[in-house]
Amino acid sequence: MIETIVNIFLVIEHGFVVSFRAKSYRIDGSDEEKIKFLKRKAKEDFENAMIFDAPINSKGQFMKYSKFAKLENEGMQYQLFEEIFQKFGLPQNPLICVTPIVDGKNLGQ
């Protein structure tokens, strides 16, 4: 089934999520094939992905990665990707691959 899939990158600096990056594709295949495709493209995609703002609190501070990880454990991290989902016209339960980039290093590889 052809669908839009997305590589999402969490850019983390000194323990804070400072931005998101995302690159989308419209491809056919099984979910497993699509996930393998996204993982294969991750390094290349990070360099040319669209940049999105990370959430900030009322004091103008970025979210700590530990808070993001807590949201992720509760399955609520998708709320933070709403702008990305809207930009690429994604359905409610999109197929995505999330890769953290911590202080310039790709932890997903």
Side-chain angles (χ1 to χ4, degrees):
M1 173 173 93
I2 295 177
E3 68 177 321
T4 302
I5 60 174
V6 180
N7 258 334
I8 296 177
F9 303 90
L10 301 177
V11 181
I12 303 160
E13 294 179 3
H14 307 289
F16 293 89
V17 179
V18 298
S19 69
F20 299 131
R21 291 185 180 207
K23 171 89 175 174
S24 71
Y25 295 93
R26 286 204 39 88
I27 66 170
D28 194 13
S30 69
D31 285 354
E32 183 178 320
E33 291 169 328
K34 292 172 186 174
I35 290 168
K36 284 180 182 177
F37 173 83
L38 288 173
K39 287 181 178 182
R40 198 170 54 248
K41 298 290 283 181
K43 187 174 184 177
E44 174 186 332
D45 286 352
F46 178 74
E47 297 302 323
N48 56 37
M50 286 183 105
I51 299 172
F52 294 84
D53 293 333
I56 55 172
N57 65 19
S58 60
K59 297 177 185 176
Q61 299 168 324
F62 289 113
M63 174 187 294
K64 286 188 175 188
Y65 178 67
S66 58
K67 183 173 182 180
F68 177 87
K70 184 178 178 184
L71 290 172
E72 189 174 38
N73 287 338
E74 297 170 357
M76 298 175 65
Q77 77 278 15
Y78 292 100
Q79 295 173 4
L80 301 176
F81 303 147
E82 192 61 39
E83 182 182 0
I84 295 169
F85 293 175
Q86 288 179 4
K87 175 69 179 173
F88 296 119
L90 299 178
Q92 186 165 348
N93 294 310
L95 193 148
I96 64 171
C97 184
V98 179
T99 303
I101 307 295
V102 181
D103 297 326
K105 296 180 183 170
N106 182 340
L107 295 184
Q109 295 186 349

